[in-house]
Amino acid sequence: KDIKNENIIKEIYLQEKDNFVRSEAIKNIDSLVNLIDISIKEDDLIVAKNALNKVISNKENYIENEDSYDYENLLKNVAIESKNEEISKLAISNIENEDLLIEISEESIYHDSQLEAVSKIKSENVLVEIVKDNKESNIRLNAIRRIKDKKLVEDISINGKYNDARIEAISKIKNQEILVDLAYNDEDSKIRESACKNIQTVSVLDDIAIKDEDKYVREVAKKRSELLKK
């Protein structure tokens, strides 16, 4: 407790194996960079949490010397690189910048942390970018399910990069012009099949049930037509 030199305190922390002593050392470490480094590299959950909670509880003091983006950018590093998923999620809960949340959704080593980051994003345009670019199916689907703007959903159904996202978008749209165009003209049979499931015009479905080159698309169109005729 009498040691004031932070470099010495950090050296004690690095060399000490006892978790309690390391936690006590953290009480005398104030450097934001050092605390972030401990939050990332510490194996023990309680010690890592003590370090990160100190960062969070002293946010206003740190932002006086760093802008809020730099502060949250350091938390982003914890969210992506921490050895413990609980620490990663704790960092995410204190990040508001949506560009940083996108990075976490793409780069975190923890799948649940990626989902946690997406759940904090409010901008639907940002969610669209995740749908278009994220390589993980569950992340893309989580994002598209939170998009309410029908024009954005329609655009994904037509121009989406990944089939799972396009199919999810198709299930949400009611625009018959788009659905019929997809059912007739999309190169992918799974997209045509999905579009048929929401088409309301029996004559169109009957036509697809005869003409489509894929037997599964024809079957879906036929079943949909029969359902509408009841």
Side-chain angles (χ1 to χ4, degrees):
K1 293 182 179 179
D2 294 326
I3 301 172
K4 303 298 183 183
N5 187 305
E6 190 161 315
N7 290 328
I8 296 174
I9 295 170
K10 187 178 182 184
E11 195 62 32
I12 293 171
Y13 162 83
L14 291 172
Q15 293 180 10
E16 181 57 54
K17 294 182 178 180
D18 185 273
N19 291 340
F20 175 78
V21 175
R22 292 211 309 282
S23 286
E24 287 298 304
I26 287 170
K27 292 179 181 179
N28 292 297
I29 294 176
D30 295 314
S31 163
L32 177 59
V33 172
N34 284 339
L35 290 169
I36 291 290
D37 191 54
I38 292 169
S39 301
I40 292 171
K41 296 177 180 178
E42 174 59 53
D43 291 317
D44 184 79
L45 172 60
I46 294 175
V47 177
K49 189 179 286 187
N50 286 343
L52 187 55
N53 278 331
K54 189 167 184 179
V55 169
I56 293 166
S57 64
N58 289 290
K59 175 180 177 179
E60 297 305 320
N61 292 333
Y62 291 128
I63 289 180
E64 287 182 6
N65 299 314
E66 310 268 352
D67 64 32
S68 60
Y69 177 86
D70 288 338
Y71 173 82
E72 290 196 358
N73 192 49
L74 289 171
L75 289 177
K76 176 210 73 177
N77 294 339
V78 177
I80 291 174
E81 301 173 23
S82 173
K83 290 185 175 182
N84 189 287
E85 185 173 6
E86 187 174 335
I87 298 300
S88 173
K89 289 182 178 180
L90 180 58
I92 292 167
S93 69
N94 288 275
I95 297 172
E96 301 299 331
N97 185 287
E98 296 195 340
D99 288 334
L100 298 177
L101 291 170
I102 288 178
E103 286 189 56
I104 295 166
S105 75
E106 294 173 344
E107 298 177 21
S108 177
I109 61 175
Y110 303 108
H111 185 261
D112 284 351
S113 290
Q114 292 177 316
L115 291 173
E116 185 79 14
V118 172
S119 73
K120 291 201 67 181
I121 294 173
K122 298 176 182 178
S123 167
E124 294 200 351
N125 287 318
V126 173
L127 290 170
V128 168
E129 293 306 308
I130 291 173
V131 173
K132 288 181 177 179
D133 297 331
N134 199 286
K135 296 178 181 179
E136 292 287 335
S137 177
N138 284 346
I139 305 300
R140 295 193 297 269
L141 295 178
N142 181 277
I144 194 170
R145 287 166 186 158
R146 297 183 56 237
I147 298 172
K148 305 301 181 185
D149 188 298
K150 67 178 184 178
K151 293 297 182 184
L152 294 177
V153 176
E154 288 171 355
D155 182 66
I156 292 168
S157 75
I158 299 167
N159 301 309
K161 180 178 177 181
Y162 297 99
N163 266 15
D164 58 352
R166 294 186 68 199
I167 289 169
E168 183 68 24
I170 289 167
S171 74
K172 295 178 66 173
I173 67 175
K174 298 180 180 180
N175 187 313
Q176 292 298 299
E177 183 179 353
I178 292 174
L179 291 169
V180 170
D181 183 62
L182 290 171
Y184 270 119
N185 300 314
D186 201 273
E187 294 181 357
D188 192 289
S189 63
K190 293 295 184 183
I191 299 299
R192 299 198 303 276
E193 185 180 321
S194 296
C196 285
K197 293 177 181 178
N198 278 347
I199 289 175
Q200 300 292 334
T201 308
V202 169
S203 61
V204 170
L205 292 165
D206 288 343
D207 191 45
I208 293 170
I210 295 170
K211 296 180 178 178
D212 198 278
E213 63 184 24
D214 186 275
K215 70 174 184 178
Y216 295 108
V217 176
R218 295 197 301 270
E219 288 176 4
V220 168
K222 182 180 179 181
K223 289 179 180 178
R224 174 69 174 163
S225 174
E226 291 171 350
L227 180 65
L228 292 174
K229 288 173 183 175
K230 290 181 179 179

